[in-house]
Amino acid sequence: MNEKQAIGMLKHHINAWKGKFPGKHFEACELAIKVLEKEVPQKPVIEEWSPARCPNCDGELSEYIGDGYYRHSTILERCPGCNQRLAWEK
Protein backbone atom coordinates (compact mmCIF):
# COMPACT_ATOMS: atom_id res chain seq x y z
CA MET A 1 0.00 0.00 0.00
CA ASN A 2 1.28 3.46 -0.83
CA GLU A 3 0.43 6.88 0.62
CA LYS A 4 -2.30 7.65 -1.93
CA GLN A 5 -4.05 4.34 -1.29
CA ALA A 6 -3.88 4.87 2.49
CA ILE A 7 -5.34 8.38 2.13
CA GLY A 8 -8.21 7.03 0.01
CA MET A 9 -8.91 4.26 2.51
CA LEU A 10 -8.92 6.65 5.48
CA LYS A 11 -11.27 9.06 3.67
CA HIS A 12 -13.60 6.17 2.84
CA HIS A 13 -13.65 5.01 6.45
CA ILE A 14 -14.33 8.51 7.74
CA ASN A 15 -17.39 8.78 5.47
CA ALA A 16 -18.62 5.25 6.24
CA TRP A 17 -18.21 5.46 10.03
CA LYS A 18 -19.32 9.07 10.66
CA GLY A 19 -21.51 9.17 13.77
CA LYS A 20 -20.70 5.61 14.87
CA PHE A 21 -17.56 6.48 16.85
CA PRO A 22 -16.50 9.39 19.07
CA GLY A 23 -15.34 12.54 17.27
CA LYS A 24 -11.75 12.09 18.47
CA HIS A 25 -11.40 9.01 16.26
CA PHE A 26 -12.24 11.13 13.22
CA GLU A 27 -9.91 13.92 14.31
CA ALA A 28 -7.10 11.34 14.48
CA CYS A 29 -7.96 10.05 10.99
CA GLU A 30 -8.10 13.57 9.56
CA LEU A 31 -4.71 14.37 11.11
CA ALA A 32 -3.28 11.15 9.64
CA ILE A 33 -4.62 12.18 6.20
CA LYS A 34 -2.92 15.61 6.46
CA VAL A 35 0.38 13.99 7.41
CA LEU A 36 0.16 11.39 4.63
CA GLU A 37 -0.74 14.03 2.03
CA LYS A 38 2.56 15.77 2.79
CA GLU A 39 4.37 12.50 2.04
CA VAL A 40 3.05 12.39 -1.53
CA PRO A 41 5.61 14.38 -3.59
CA GLN A 42 4.15 17.50 -5.23
CA LYS A 43 5.70 19.55 -8.03
CA PRO A 44 6.70 23.06 -7.00
CA VAL A 45 4.88 25.89 -8.76
CA ILE A 46 7.37 27.43 -11.19
CA GLU A 47 6.55 30.53 -13.22
CA GLU A 48 8.87 32.70 -15.30
CA TRP A 49 10.60 35.55 -13.45
CA SER A 50 9.28 34.25 -10.11
CA PRO A 51 10.63 32.07 -7.33
CA ALA A 52 9.55 28.45 -7.19
CA ARG A 53 6.76 28.08 -4.64
CA CYS A 54 5.55 25.23 -2.46
CA PRO A 55 2.26 23.82 -3.80
CA ASN A 56 1.04 23.30 -0.23
CA CYS A 57 1.91 26.47 1.74
CA ASP A 58 2.98 28.82 -1.12
CA GLY A 59 6.37 29.36 0.56
CA GLU A 60 9.33 30.47 -1.56
CA LEU A 61 11.76 27.71 -2.53
CA SER A 62 14.21 29.79 -4.61
CA GLU A 63 17.03 32.22 -4.02
CA TYR A 64 16.97 35.61 -5.74
CA ILE A 65 20.24 36.11 -7.63
CA GLY A 66 19.55 39.52 -9.16
CA ASP A 67 18.35 40.94 -12.47
CA GLY A 68 15.00 39.20 -12.06
CA TYR A 69 16.51 35.71 -11.94
CA TYR A 70 16.00 33.02 -9.31
CA ARG A 71 18.03 29.91 -8.53
CA HIS A 72 15.65 27.06 -7.80
CA SER A 73 16.79 24.89 -4.91
CA THR A 74 16.21 21.58 -6.67
CA ILE A 75 18.16 19.76 -3.97
CA LEU A 76 15.38 20.52 -1.48
CA GLU A 77 13.47 17.32 -0.84
CA ARG A 78 10.96 19.05 1.46
CA CYS A 79 9.56 22.52 1.87
CA PRO A 80 11.26 24.18 4.85
CA GLY A 81 7.98 25.88 5.79
CA CYS A 82 5.47 23.02 5.87
CA ASN A 83 7.52 19.83 5.29
CA GLN A 84 5.73 18.94 2.03
CA ARG A 85 7.76 16.46 -0.06
CA LEU A 86 8.78 18.02 -3.36
CA ALA A 87 9.10 16.45 -6.80
CA TRP A 88 11.36 18.66 -8.90
CA GLU A 89 11.25 18.00 -12.64
CA LYS A 90 14.48 16.57 -14.02
Side-chain angles (χ1 to χ4, degrees):
M1 176 181 303
N2 64 32
E3 291 91 351
K4 288 183 181 182
Q5 291 169 328
I7 291 167
M9 187 176 287
L10 284 169
K11 286 182 177 181
H12 170 76
H13 289 316
I14 286 174
N15 292 331
W17 297 342
K18 206 72 155 178
K20 298 177 185 175
F21 292 99
K24 289 188 178 196
H25 291 276
F26 295 105
E27 288 176 32
C29 284
E30 288 168 351
L31 179 61
I33 289 169
K34 286 181 184 179
V35 171
L36 282 171
E37 285 176 338
K38 288 187 178 182
E39 292 301 314
V40 177
Q42 300 289 325
K43 289 184 181 180
V45 178
I46 300 175
E47 296 175 356
E48 273 191 84
W49 305 101
S50 299
R53 303 194 84 71
C54 175
N56 186 48
C57 73
D58 202 39
E60 282 191 23
L61 303 172
S62 300
E63 173 188 2
Y64 183 69
I65 57 173
D67 295 337
Y69 291 100
Y70 290 87
R71 180 179 301 129
H72 302 314
S73 301
T74 57
I75 60 169
L76 281 177
E77 293 182 12
R78 293 186 176 273
C79 171
C82 70
N83 208 32
Q84 171 69 50
R85 281 184 69 193
L86 302 170
W88 295 93
E89 294 184 65
K90 295 182 180 182

